[in-house]
Every structure is written in C-alpha cells, then in structure tokens.
Amino acid sequence: MSFPWAKHYEPKAPLMKWVDERLPLPRFVYNAVGAGYPVPRNLNYFWNFGVLAGVALMCQIVTGIVLAMHYAANGAIAFDSVEHIMRDVNFGWLIRYAHANGASMFLLVVYIHIGRGLYYGSYKAPREMIWLLGVVIFLLMMATAFMGYVLPWGQMSFWGAQVITGFFSAIPLVGEPIRVWLLGGYAPDDAALNRFFSLHYLLPFVTLGVIILHVWALHIPGSNNPTGVEVKGEQDTVPFHPYYTAKDGFGIGVFMLIYCAFIFFMPNALGHPDNYIPANPLSTPAHIVPEWYFLPFYAILKSFTFNFLWIDAKLWGVLAMFGSILLLFFLPWLDTSPVRSANYRPTYRIFLIVLLIDVLVLGYVGGAEPTARNVIIGQIASIYYFAHFLIILPIVAATERPRPLPNSITEAVLGKHGGGHASGAIAGSALPAE
Amino acid sequence: MASVDTPIAAGDGTGPHGAEGDYRRRDFLSIAAVAFGGIGVAGVLVPLVSQMAPSADVLADSTTELDLSAIAPGQAIKSTFRKQPLFVRNLTPEEIAEANKVPVSSLRDPETLAQRTKEGHSNWLVTLGVCTHLGCVPLGAGEGEVKGEYGGYFCPCHGSVYDTAARIRKGPAPKNLTVPPYKFSTPTTIVIG
Amino acid sequence: MVRYIAGLVGVGFVAALLFALVGSISGLFNDPQPESAAATLYKHPKELELESNGFMGKIDVAAAQRGFQVYKEVCSNCHSLKHVTFRDLRKIGYTEAEVKKIAADWGTKQQVQDPKTGDRSERANVPADHFPAVYYPGQGNPPDLSLITKARHDGPAYVYSLLTGYAEQTPELLAKHPDAKTPDGLYYNPYFPNLNIAMPPPLAQDGQVTYADGTKSTVAQNAKDVAAFLVWTAEPELNERHGLGLAVLGFLLVATLLAYGAYQSIWRNVKH
C-alpha cells in the first residue's frame, strides 16, 4: 500500500473485473494480502504469529457460535447444559474441547506475538498506533477469556468470578457499589452469569473490529523486520503472495498439529479438575487459581502482602496487577532508543531474556501453593517486572552502546549468505538496469 | 525484478531438473498443499453441520404409555407424544359406521378406518393432533369443542375439516391426521413409539 | 515527561514490594509455619494401569461392566450418577434388552407429579432416563460420580487409591501429629487431601461383589474395575476421541509437510 513499487491489481478473469469495477473488494484484498503488498524479505518465523492469532480467533468464533446453540446461561442448568454438549450433542465433545483449548492456543500465540514486538522494537515510531491497538486487543481478550471461563459454572468458574469481581471492592468509597453493579447482585449468580454470556458473545466481534484497525495501521508503514532497519527499496521486499501466504500456510499447519494434539489427546491438561465440580457458593476450593495465561498477573497481585503508606495491601495488589498490563501502553515512550531490534542492542537483549525468565517464574508462583518461600520468590520477580519496564528500560535506552546497524535489509541478507558474487551486483539501494 | 534473487531464467540449472523442474515441483507442491487444506476445511465442516442434527437425548427411544380405561365411548383425550399433541378417541358404533360408509376413492387421502386402527380395536382412534396443512392443533378432542360438519376434528386456522376417522374431507390440509406407531400392551393400555 | 512519571510509579511499586519482601523474609525466620499434618501425611495416588490410560487408551468394556456392577451394588446407595442415562450403558456392551431390565429393576424410581392434582408418585425407570438422584441424609456430602475421574487430579488413580487406602492411625503417627486424630464419625485415609474422610470404607472385604463374568472379586479388583467404569462415565467419547485424533494428526502431518515443501520451493531462489 505504501511502497511505490507495489504491484497493481490487474484482473484477468472477466468475473473479477466485473466485481472489481462495482465493489473494489478484489483490489483491496490484492493490496492487503496479495501480490500487491510488499513485505521485507528477511522475516523469520516470529512473524507468523499475527496470522496465527487471527486463525485462533476464527476458530474460537466458529466453535463459540456453535456451542451457544446448545448452552444454557442459567445457574441451575448451565453445568448440565455443558455436559449435555459433551455427551449428547453430535461431536459436542469435539467442539467444546476445541473451544476450551482454542482459548489457550489463542493466548499462547498472542504472548509470542507480543514477545516478538518487545524484542524487535515493533512498538517504536512510526508503529506506536499498532502497538496501542494491540494492547487494547490484549485487554479485550483477557476480559473475554475471563467471562468465558465463568460460563460452565464449575467451582473455578464461580470462585474465579468471586475473586476477580472482588478486586473492585478494593477501590475506596465507590468500589463495593461498583462490584454489586457489575454482578447485578451480592455474589456471582444468575444475573452475572447471563450478562457474562451476553458480553462473552459480543467482545470477540469488538476484538475483530480492533484487529481490523490494527492491521490497517500496520499496512501504512508496512512490517518491521529482524534488523529493525526500514525498507529502502524494492530489493528489500517480496510480495506477500505467494511468499508469505506459503510461509503462513506452513505455520498454520504446525499450529493445527499442536492444537489438535491437545484437543484429541490431552484436552484437560491446561484446565483445572475443580471446574468439573458444579459451583457451590458455600464451599471454597482448596486453591483458587485462574487459567495458566493469567498466572503471572495473579502472582503480582498476591505479592503485595503488607499495607504500605496509606494504601492497604489488597489495593496495592489490584493497582499493581492492572498496572502491570497498562504500563505496556507507555512502552514506545519509555524505551527511547533509536535502535529497534534487540539483535543490535546487546545490553537491552540481556534484560529482555531476564524478563522472559521472570515472567515464567511469575507464572509458576501464580499457580503454586502460597508457601513463605514461593511468596518471597514472587515478590522478587514482581520487583524485577516493574523495575524492568519503568526504571531499567529508560536508563538502558539512554546509556547503552548499540552495535552498528546494516545499511539496508538487503545488505544484512547478503551478509548472511557470505556476500559472494551477488554483492557486487548490489550497490546499496541502486536498482539494476533491467 | 530485484537482483538479490538469482534469476530463475539464468539457465544455470539450479535444481536437479533445471529451471523448468523448479516450476513444476513448486506448482505440484502448492496445489497438493492447497488441496489438502481444502480437504481439511471440508472435514471440519462435518462436525459443525452435524451438531445441529437432533442430539442423542432427543433421538433416544421415548415411548409413551397410555391407559385407555378412563375414556368412555364418544370421548377423546389430549396427550403428548415426542413433545407433540396426541388425540386418542373412543369411537361410538355410529361414528364407526359413518366412517365406513364413505367411499374411499372419494377421499383426498384414501384410507379406510380399518387401515387407521388396530385389528380388534377399531373403536380406538390414535392420531397426532397436528393439522397436516400448516401445523395448528385442531379442535374436537376436548369437551364441548367444535367438531366440524363431519363430526371429527376442525382446524380453526384455515378451516380444514376431518371426519370421524380423522381423515381430511374439506379445507386445505393435504393428508389425514398422522397415525403414529403404537401397539396394545394390554386390552386397556397402548404403548406409542 | 512520561519517563519521569513512569519512574516514580515504578519506584512506588518496587518500594511497596520491597517492604512486603522484608516482611516475608522476617516472617520466614521469626514465625516459621510448621508443616501441617495434611502436608506430611497426605499420599499421592498409587500407580494404576488401566486400558484407558495413555494416548491410545481404550475403554475396557469388560472392566467397565464389572465396575458398573460394583457401582450398582455398593456405590449407588449413596452416590448419584446423574449425567449418565440408562441407554448410555449400551456403549459398554449391554444389549437393549439388558438395558431395559437394568432400568426397570433399578431400586430408586423416578418421581412423577400429577399436573392436575399435584399428587406425587413414582414410576419405574426407562432407558431414556438419567440415573435418578440419590439423597444421602447422613454425615458428609457424597459427590456425584459421573465426572469424578475428571474432577480430581489423577482421577482414576485417585479413586483406586482412595478405595484401597483406608488405614489405621498408628500410635507413633498420633504422637507426631496429634491434630490429625480422626474425629468421631470420620475415617482415616491418607489418600484423601484432608486425611479424614466421611465415607466409611465401602469395600470392606474381598468378595463383596460377585462378578457376573466370574472374575475373582477382591477389594483391589473391585476398586480397579469401578475406576475403569468411572473413567467411562466421565469420558464416554474416549475411544472415538483417540481414534479420530490419530486420523486427524496423521492428515495434518501430511498436509504440513506438503505446505513446508511448497514454502521451500517458492522461496528457493529468493535470498532471505
């Protein structure tokens, strides 16, 4: 779209010509994902995860709509309706397991996608808007996943809803009224279940809308690439089709293999057995834990164990948990280094690897028993998380010495292949006479 | 084109079959991969379409047992069978005679009373209470309900009139009221379905 | 500007965490939590080998039928099986006639209420019915067993270990953990997370159930078979799931290899 050498849509088939003259949809598709969209030639497999996230969303929408044909959002029969799906509906077990494991796959893919953004500086100018929209998508996904998990109305569904809505009561003065308003009652019950079902159906389509903006914003500057050096000329790019359609096709195959391995052979591995017990408001489970994708944030929440200054521990925990996600919005302005890719920022790279380990440790602590030892580990890990984004990043950006960048993508690519005879044919960005 | 790429037409034989072989292998693999993808999509459609078909609990054999001893001659009751209305009528000898008088060939849906009842129980008329026109529940089974000019059932929606053997005589309905599968387990009980 | 505010916020969170960390560490040394009895005495489930274990596991129909017999004669007195219908028993090898008889003979009848008079009465079960609810007025809440092997970690092994795990509390044990003494009305079972369970040992001796297929009936055999049966009640789709899974993964493997080949051949002459 933004590159002058992008190919133009020239429909050969008369049908396509007829449609395109009346509704320029074929041309739009061609320019967005077809041969008319130039993409850097050096993208690695970490660039597959955006499309995989889109595929995961489609799977969730399709399986979700189908499940909604059989599910009943009423406290008395919700759990039974899910068992009806599992036992009586034709292929109901397949669709239910696909939806439950699809949520995990969707979040796994999105976490890797975010990790790519952090490592290669995809959030930096001129791509800040893509990043901001992405954080919005992430928040919508978390809300959708939380509400979806409540719907089967198992023990974890109910108690998870109890805990998460309990956060709001931490807000001074208005907290408790807000919590009661959200629930439509004093504890999760039919009112909450019904409205969660309604919103769980709605939010994925809102997410879809934001994704359209996210991809639109991407197509203005075009994709980032592993060197972080902007596209300089035609030889830096290849058309999206067939090069990246083929690569994405392969990526989708690998994704489906992993997804189906879970659905058919380990469908409950990522879930919690307690959710096969019907919700009982009078009996709290031994350990209330959210699904794995929320564990790091849960660990941060639980790390604030003492009142500090005028704010009590519970409020600190809630503020920190939301803060840990909201700080992502400010990342483009926290990390002011002009170098994008961590491949050329050795100091920053080390801290990023520590962050990855830190998030995995937080995840472990979030799901583990709250022994004194685990609480201490969680507190140290939470310290690092906030320090990384809010203190370390700005300092590193201002003081580090980055490695010298290649002049262009082409130079980096040829450098990888040992230069050889082709390097003489390339003079920086000069186009050969052809 | 970008000169970073080895020009395919350079004729230096990049593959075992040369440049031509490259295109053929690439096209074959692409077509094969897309074909497999298409089969996969078709395969995914199977459970998605099938899940809308009746589920196992709906299909499960459900039999309705009915005790007829309380129904006097000339009386009828309304019950349900597989979630649909069911009419069970104890025909009087006059009603049986009236039904047998009708020349079968003159009927829109030719059937004799004998064909619509069980042998030895020709006074028991068991039919679904669903008009075969567009599905309304006809009147005539309950106390005091309009029976229509043929003394059977009358559908108020569009005026279909059924006779004492619940056969269509007048109005838009194309077929007689459906007789479900049933049998007499005792002289006074039937098992339907 | 953003960086300064962010820095302040960061310092705030880090300070609150450091404060909490100091508190935790001092608590660790000054006020160490003693290991609870439940933590030391609780035993993880024993190994249980069932034909349904593993990636290509299948429901063992013979074991499931024996397990159903155990459920019927022992467990159904207190435990419901509400998500299972009598007609489902066809899937573990019972014929239609056998299922009709099992349903008709089932001790607990279906409750019926006359819509006109409000009178309640009972009717015999038919195959389409779910196993009727069981109400247990005594101590404890016997859970419904339809999903028990999915509702417990290591479900089948847990069921087997629990049923074979009842033990006496030795004087040494009581000396070390006086707070673990079994209260009246409960029974000591180290495979139960709280150690003392309200369920009396349901399989008290060998030969309690006489198997229709003649298999030797011991407590261990009963427990194993009922575990196999309960795996089926929780996952009736197991066989189909594994079979379809093998076909789907095989198909996807071929499709992905083809896709990889297509990708490689499209990119062959393009430097990247």
Side-chain angles (χ1 to χ4, degrees):
Chain A
M1 251 155 70
S2 308
F3 295 120
W5 59 89
K7 288 207 273 242
H8 291 291
Y9 180 58
E10 256 130 60
K12 304 270 185 357
L15 175 65
M16 297 312 286
K17 245 169 78 178
W18 185 92
V19 174
D20 190 58
E21 276 163 17
R22 289 153 181 74
L23 175 71
L25 195 58
R27 151 184 327 265
F28 177 77
V29 171
Y30 182 88
N31 290 333
V33 296
Y37 180 55
V39 179
R41 59 170 59 229
N42 61 334
L43 301 185
N44 60 34
Y45 281 112
F46 281 109
W47 264 260
N48 278 46
F49 287 86
V51 166
L52 290 181
V55 167
L57 177 62
M58 286 308 130
C59 290
Q60 289 303 92
I61 288 178
V62 168
T63 53
I65 290 175
V66 160
L67 284 172
M69 294 183 182
H70 304 276
Y71 171 74
N74 177 284
I77 50 178
F79 189 89
D80 293 344
S81 74
V82 174
E83 281 306 304
H84 162 70
I85 290 169
M86 294 292 289
R87 293 162 192 274
D88 289 329
V89 172
N90 303 316
F91 293 105
W93 57 267
L94 174 60
I95 300 166
R96 193 273 175 108
Y97 279 148
H99 197 72
N101 287 287
S104 284
M105 291 300 293
F106 192 9
L107 276 141
L108 174 67
V109 156
V110 164
Y111 278 141
I112 298 174
H113 184 68
I114 293 174
R116 182 279 308 269
L118 288 176
Y119 187 90
Y120 292 106
S122 308
Y123 50 84
K124 290 174 183 289
R127 296 183 178 84
E128 303 97 319
M129 184 56 89
I130 306 168
W131 176 260
L132 295 177
L133 291 167
V135 181
V136 169
I137 293 168
F138 180 50
L139 284 166
L140 285 169
M141 281 174 64
M142 291 176 80
T144 309
F146 159 65
M147 292 190 294
Y149 194 65
V150 175
L151 301 181
W153 211 235
Q155 274 286 64
M156 278 309 170
S157 305
F158 176 88
W159 290 97
Q162 183 82 288
V163 166
I164 305 268
T165 52
F167 294 157
F168 291 91
S169 63
I171 303 169
L173 289 175
V174 292
E176 183 61 17
I178 290 180
R179 189 186 76 91
V180 170
W181 174 78
L182 275 173
L183 286 174
Y186 303 98
D189 195 9
D190 278 327
L193 183 57
N194 262 282
R195 65 188 56 177
F196 282 178
F197 182 48
S198 170
L199 294 175
H200 182 73
Y201 207 122
L202 168 71
L203 283 190
F205 296 99
V206 174
T207 309
L208 199 53
V210 182
I211 288 173
I212 290 172
L213 297 178
H214 182 72
V215 175
W216 186 3
L218 167 68
H219 283 212
I220 307 296
S223 288
N224 189 12
N225 71 85
T227 64
V229 173
E230 285 298 317
V231 165
K232 299 234 164 65
E234 196 181 346
Q235 66 274 29
D236 287 343
T237 65
V238 289
F240 190 87
H241 177 70
Y243 294 96
Y244 287 106
T245 43
K247 193 170 185 185
D248 283 336
F250 169 59
I252 292 171
V254 175
F255 171 82
M256 282 297 169
L257 275 166
I258 299 171
Y259 186 24
C260 289
F262 275 105
I263 294 174
F264 291 98
F265 296 105
M266 319 171 259
N268 294 302
L270 299 171
H272 199 288
D274 277 4
N275 226 28
Y276 279 107
I277 304 171
N280 184 353
L282 303 174
S283 162
T284 314
H287 300 116
I288 303 176
V289 270
E291 289 286 85
W292 69 266
Y293 35 81
F294 288 147
L295 289 177
F297 305 108
Y298 198 55
I300 291 173
L301 173 83
K302 292 193 293 183
S303 291
F304 290 80
T305 47
F306 282 85
N307 302 338
F308 183 67
L309 301 181
W310 325 265
I311 303 176
D312 70 344
K314 182 173 170 189
L315 184 55
W316 269 115
V318 171
L319 289 173
M321 192 184 73
F322 285 116
S324 66
I325 308 166
L326 294 175
L327 58 73
L328 292 173
F329 276 117
F330 298 98
L331 193 53
W333 296 278
L334 291 170
D335 177 10
T336 52
S337 166
V339 178
R340 285 202 188 93
S341 168
N343 279 341
Y344 299 94
R345 303 178 60 190
T347 319
Y348 173 70
R349 194 155 174 256
I350 295 172
F351 284 111
L352 255 192
I353 294 171
V354 175
L355 179 72
L356 174 63
I357 298 170
D358 182 68
V359 168
L360 293 171
V361 168
L362 280 172
Y364 168 77
V365 167
E369 245 195 271
T371 62
R373 185 197 70 143
N374 286 340
V375 169
I376 290 171
I377 295 172
Q379 284 163 338
I380 297 172
S382 302
I383 289 172
Y384 181 77
Y385 184 93
F386 287 103
H388 176 98
F389 285 104
L390 299 172
I391 303 171
I392 296 176
L393 273 202
I395 296 176
V396 165
T399 57
E400 79 174 336
R401 270 233 263 128
R403 284 173 50 207
L405 291 170
N407 284 323
S408 69
I409 293 173
T410 305
E411 194 184 290
V413 164
L414 290 177
K416 225 169 45 166
H417 293 262
H421 62 282
S423 61
I426 315 295
S429 48
L431 291 170
E434 221 168 56
Chain B
M1 251 305 296
S3 55
V4 188
D5 308 321
T6 316
I8 300 229
D12 53 353
T14 39
H17 309 284
E20 259 308 302
D22 278 348
Y23 277 126
R24 244 186 264 131
R25 177 173 52 234
R26 150 176 168 174
D27 280 341
F28 167 75
L29 282 169
S30 299
I31 293 170
V34 170
F36 259 73
I39 296 171
V41 167
V44 160
L45 280 177
V46 169
L48 292 178
V49 169
S50 156
Q51 57 83 23
M52 281 175 68
S55 53
D57 55 331
V58 169
L59 290 178
D61 292 348
S62 61
T63 51
T64 306
E65 227 181 315
L66 217 50
D67 178 15
L68 305 176
S69 50
I71 311 172
Q75 268 194 327
I77 59 155
K78 293 195 242 195
S79 183
T80 53
F81 170 63
R82 290 185 184 165
K83 301 258 180 19
Q84 290 196 297
L86 187 79
F87 293 162
V88 180
R89 178 177 287 281
N90 189 347
L91 297 171
T92 61
E94 294 83 41
E95 286 171 334
I96 296 172
E98 226 182 290
N100 289 330
K101 253 198 327 213
V102 181
V104 177
S105 48
S106 70
L107 292 169
R108 184 178 304 166
D109 181 10
E111 267 185 324
T112 64
L113 179 61
Q115 282 171 309
R116 294 169 61 71
T117 55
K118 298 289 176 204
E119 224 180 280
H121 299 278
S122 58
N123 60 316
W124 288 109
L125 185 66
V126 180
T127 62
L128 288 185
V130 180
C131 183
T132 56
H133 177 228
L134 291 175
C136 291
V137 182
L139 302 170
E143 280 285 325
E145 279 181 11
V146 174
K147 290 207 174 116
E149 59 192 270
Y150 290 90
Y153 300 102
F154 171 71
C155 186
C157 291
H158 309 99
S160 295
V161 187
Y162 299 86
D163 67 12
T164 51
R167 298 174 296 197
I168 183 66
R169 301 297 291 275
K170 219 165 135 180
K175 295 242 166 266
N176 305 332
L177 291 187
T178 309
V179 177
Y182 69 94
K183 58 181 191 289
F184 277 83
S185 54
T186 74
T188 51
T189 25
I190 51 171
V191 174
I192 313 161
Chain C
M1 176 62 174
V2 170
R3 281 177 288 169
Y4 294 124
I5 300 177
L8 274 168
V9 171
V11 164
F13 282 129
V14 169
L17 280 166
L18 280 168
F19 185 75
L21 179 64
V22 163
S24 299
I25 292 178
S26 83
L28 185 64
F29 289 115
N30 297 338
D31 186 23
Q33 293 283 37
E35 275 253 323
S36 66
T40 35
L41 295 173
Y42 170 69
K43 288 196 192 158
H44 287 282
K46 311 175 204 177
E47 284 272 334
L48 176 67
E49 283 196 16
L50 288 177
E51 210 173 303
S52 48
N53 286 356
F55 286 140
M56 287 318 293
K58 281 169 62 123
I59 302 285
D60 177 354
V61 163
Q65 287 202 7
R66 291 195 298 270
F68 172 62
Q69 224 189 313
V70 174
Y71 168 75
K72 185 163 111 153
E73 296 178 26
V74 180
C75 323
S76 62
N77 294 304
C78 306
H79 288 279
S80 309
L81 203 68
K82 63 186 263 212
H83 295 290
V84 185
T85 61
F86 289 98
R87 60 174 163 86
D88 287 334
L89 292 171
R90 298 289 309 278
K91 303 216 195 76
I92 50 170
Y94 290 105
T95 64
E96 196 171 335
E98 284 170 331
V99 165
K100 256 192 171 142
K101 186 164 191 318
I102 291 169
D105 292 347
W106 195 258
T108 315
K109 308 284 176 212
Q110 292 285 338
Q111 300 297 319
V112 177
Q113 186 172 32
D114 188 325
K116 199 103 171 44
T117 65
D119 289 337
R120 290 182 192 274
S121 60
E122 287 186 339
R123 66 159 175 84
N125 291 285
V126 295
D129 287 325
H130 287 251
F131 278 84
V134 176
Y135 297 96
Y136 180 73
Q139 184 167 19
N141 294 307
D144 182 283
L145 293 181
S146 321
L147 289 165
I148 200 76
T149 58
K150 281 204 289 193
R152 301 287 183 273
H153 187 69
D154 249 342
Y158 170 80
V159 167
Y160 173 77
S161 307
L162 196 70
L163 293 175
T164 56
Y166 283 88
E168 288 293 327
Q169 288 189 315
T170 61
E172 302 85 53
L173 186 151
L174 283 171
K176 245 191 348 174
H177 300 276
D179 53 317
K181 181 161 167 38
T182 308
D184 279 336
L186 300 186
Y187 304 83
Y188 181 68
N189 190 324
Y191 293 96
F192 185 64
N194 278 340
L195 301 179
N196 296 306
I197 189 172
M199 172 169 76
L203 301 169
Q205 70 226 19
D206 291 340
Q208 217 173 305
V209 174
T210 314
Y211 283 130
D213 70 355
T215 309
K216 186 157 167 348
S217 174
T218 61
V219 167
Q221 184 68 39
N222 293 155
K224 183 171 179 191
D225 290 332
V226 85
F229 171 68
L230 292 175
V231 168
W232 171 74
T233 61
E235 299 179 84
E237 85 289 344
L238 187 90
N239 291 2
E240 200 191 342
R241 177 159 59 81
H242 283 170
L244 191 57
L246 192 62
V248 166
L249 282 190
F251 172 85
L252 282 174
L253 195 59
V254 174
T256 306
L257 288 171
L258 282 173
Y260 183 68
Y263 154 66
Q264 283 290 11
S265 96
I266 284 172
W267 280 80
R268 174 175 301 282
N269 294 308
V270 176
K271 285 216 165 44
H272 54 286

